[in-house]
């Protein structure tokens, strides 16, 4: 039986509640005999700042490096709005991504048939929607230098964020996207802004070269990022895999998420490069935030975190069959008309965080 080490970082707000449902699923996995998952827990985000004065401690980072994967809940909240910029809750998340070299962010946008009417778009536009956004995660404007605010005097300041990409960064994220497409609909849209940005020119050039050299069997379409945003609202089902940079990926993945009905439904995976043994660093987290307004009230939707755990089973633990079961259980529960408040519909049974977890576990059989 395969054994794995999983670091749990519940974080802030509803993070602790939704992570609680993951711990119940871990017990289920261990009970199947298919795998053994050993867990450790630590702090990240605002709660880590309260204890350590940093958004993540050195000890927590050491544990993250040693683990087979990391599960993160959510970070942030108004309580920490005034902390120094480099110690803000989100700094813990960014450090995990950077230090673990998690360059590939996988953001699926799936519209379950039972939730098609919950989308802000018409049912016919989103029913059956299944998009994978592959976002470059460790380069671009979020990490480029210089990044500064300069006082120019006379009440004027200048802020600078630097958009930087090198060839290898684009090559490796393109490889992930094309490989993903081969297992899906065999179509990749590469989104950038080559008409106004030099990084977009390089992005287009490198993706084209990677496609020609290694993935000529996959259909490639280049699209400007602003047009991609428009098309996600106009006709989202035209897309299969979208590969894009850090900034545009942040925006486009949230837009695609809302087409499915709720941010509370969507998981994500952040992956690094595989070593010689095939092991790759990885972190899994829901797309939604810490939602401090409902924290501690048993109102949070745990499905995104549960689905993130299913991605962990699939991509880090090579337990595809168990991942399939978890994903099917989610669909079955939604088909039964069970809903948390964020996806409530007329005639459905409204439940809390714990009850939704109960329903998913019951559906696993």
């Amino acid at each position: 039986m395969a054994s794995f080490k999983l670091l749990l970082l519940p974080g802030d707000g509803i993070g602790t509640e939704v992570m609680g449902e993951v711990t119940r699923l871990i017990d289920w996995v261990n009970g199947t005999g298919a795998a053994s998952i050993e867990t450790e827990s630590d702090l990240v985000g605002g709660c880590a700042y309260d204890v350590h004065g940093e958004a993540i401690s050195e000890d927590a980072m050491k544990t993250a490096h040693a683990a087979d994967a990391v599960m993160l809940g959510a970070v942030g909240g108004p309580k920490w709005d005034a902390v120094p910029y480099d110690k803000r809750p989100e700094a813990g998340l960014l450090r995990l991504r950077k230090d673990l070299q998690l360059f590939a962010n996988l953001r699926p946008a799936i519209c379950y048939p039972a939730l098609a009417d919950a989308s802000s778009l018409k049912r016919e536009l989103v029913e059956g929607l299944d998009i994978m956004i592959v976002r470059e995660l460790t380069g671009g404007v979020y990490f480029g230098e210089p990044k500064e605010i300069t006082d120019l005097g006379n009440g004027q300041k200048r802020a600078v964020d630097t958009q930087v990409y090198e060839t290898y960064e684009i090559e490796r994220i393109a490889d992930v996207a094309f490989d993903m497409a081969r297992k899906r609909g065999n179509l990749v849209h590469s989104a950038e802004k080559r008409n106004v940005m030099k990084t977009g020119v390089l992005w287009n050039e490198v993706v084209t070269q990677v496609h020609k050299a290694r993935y000529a069997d996959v259909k490639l379409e280049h699209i400007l990022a602003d047009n991609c945003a428009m098309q996600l609202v106009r006709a989202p089902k035209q897309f299969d895999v979208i590969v894009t940079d850090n900034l545009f990926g942040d925006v486009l993945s949230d837009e695609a998420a809302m087409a499915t009905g709720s941010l509370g439904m969507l998981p994500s995976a952040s992956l690094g490069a595989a070593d010689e043994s095939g092991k790759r660093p990885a972190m899994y987290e829901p797309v939604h935030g810490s939602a401090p307004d409902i924290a501690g009230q048993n109102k949070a939707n745990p499905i995104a975190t549960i689905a993130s755990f299913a991605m962990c089973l699939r991509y880090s633990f090579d337990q595809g069959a168990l991942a399939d079961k978890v994903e099917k259980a989610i669909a079955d529960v939604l088909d039964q008309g069970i809903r948390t408040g964020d996806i409530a519909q007329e005639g459905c049974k409204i439940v809390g965080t714990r009850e939704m977890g109960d329903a998913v576990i019951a559906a696993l059989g």
Side-chain angles (χ1 to χ4, degrees):
M1 180 172 60
S3 298
F4 306 98
K5 292 183 178 180
L6 181 63
L7 173 61
L8 304 180
L9 298 173
D12 307 315
I14 63 172
T16 55
E17 294 170 81
V18 295
M19 193 67 78
E21 302 313 307
V22 169
T23 61
R24 300 170 69 196
L25 284 170
I26 292 170
D27 290 340
W28 169 78
V29 169
N30 289 339
T32 66
S36 173
I37 302 175
E38 178 186 338
T39 64
E40 289 189 62
S41 296
D42 215 315
L43 304 176
V44 69
C47 59
Y49 176 80
D50 290 344
V51 174
H52 301 293
E54 301 285 350
I56 189 166
S57 69
E58 294 300 326
D59 285 344
M61 285 303 309
K62 289 179 182 178
T63 306
H65 279 287
D68 294 299
V70 177
M71 280 288 308
L72 188 141
V75 298
K79 177 183 177 182
W80 301 283
D81 283 349
V83 304
Y85 182 79
D86 61 344
K87 300 180 184 298
R88 69 200 187 283
E90 293 77 11
L93 176 59
L94 292 176
R95 183 176 178 191
L96 283 161
R97 291 173 178 173
K98 192 70 174 178
D99 286 13
L100 296 177
Q101 300 182 43
L102 307 177
F103 69 88
N105 183 220
L106 310 183
R107 291 274 297 261
I110 299 170
C111 185
Y112 294 92
L115 292 181
D117 290 328
S119 172
S120 54
L121 301 180
K122 295 178 181 178
R123 170 179 278 272
E124 58 265 28
L125 293 180
V126 298
E127 187 173 14
L129 180 69
D130 185 355
I131 299 172
M132 178 66 78
I133 295 182
V134 180
R135 168 190 174 191
E136 200 291 321
L137 201 60
T138 57
V141 74
Y142 291 174
F143 294 100
E145 296 292 345
K147 179 185 291 289
E148 61 189 12
I149 298 177
T150 303
D151 192 334
L152 303 178
N154 298 320
Q156 298 297 305
K157 295 182 179 180
R158 179 176 60 228
V160 175
D161 291 290
T162 305
Q163 170 85 342
V164 179
Y165 271 109
E166 296 184 25
T167 300
Y168 80 94
E169 294 174 297
I170 305 170
E171 286 178 337
R172 65 185 183 181
I173 198 68
D175 279 328
V176 172
F178 285 122
D179 186 61
M180 188 72 60
R182 277 178 171 166
K183 301 168 185 175
R184 294 170 48 92
N186 220 43
L187 171 63
V188 171
H189 280 79
S190 176
E192 29 68 10
K193 284 288 288 180
R194 63 189 180 278
N195 56 334
V196 293
M197 298 174 67
K198 288 296 186 180
T199 50
V201 173
L202 181 63
W203 187 280
N204 179 277
E205 175 187 310
V206 173
V207 171
T208 300
Q209 291 171 349
V210 170
H211 176 252
K212 182 179 180 180
R214 298 194 284 277
Y215 303 96
D217 57 304
V218 179
K219 185 177 180 181
L220 170 63
E221 298 282 352
H222 294 285
I223 187 169
L224 295 178
D226 50 347
N227 183 35
C228 186
M230 181 183 73
Q231 296 297 330
L232 280 169
V233 176
R234 189 187 72 83
K237 286 191 284 187
Q238 68 183 282
F239 297 107
D240 176 28
V241 173
I242 298 172
V243 63
T244 190
D245 73 11
N246 207 342
L247 176 60
F248 294 137
D250 195 354
V251 175
L252 293 173
S253 58
D254 276 6
E255 182 186 14
M258 284 312 300
T260 70
S262 173
L263 284 172
M265 292 296 301
L266 300 177
S268 76
S270 299
L271 308 178
D275 61 18
E276 294 180 356
S277 68
K279 177 184 174 182
R280 65 173 74 230
M283 182 167 66
Y284 301 88
E285 59 183 305
V287 171
H288 63 69
S290 62
D293 56 318
I294 62 169
Q297 300 175 42
N298 193 41
K299 292 182 178 179
N301 185 348
I303 289 179
T305 309
I306 291 171
S308 296
F309 177 66
M311 294 183 79
C312 178
L313 289 173
R314 188 179 306 281
Y315 294 117
S316 285
F317 299 165
D318 196 26
Q319 299 292 322
L322 292 182
D324 289 342
K325 287 184 178 181
V326 173
E327 291 167 352
K328 183 178 184 301
I330 292 171
D332 289 347
V333 167
L334 295 173
D335 286 343
Q336 293 168 27
I338 300 173
R339 304 282 190 273
T340 47
D342 61 310
I343 53 173
Q345 293 172 285
E346 186 175 351
C348 291
K349 179 182 179 182
I350 310 304
V351 300
T353 309
R354 184 77 177 182
E355 293 74 25
M356 180 61 83
D358 289 340
V360 171
I361 290 172
L364 287 168

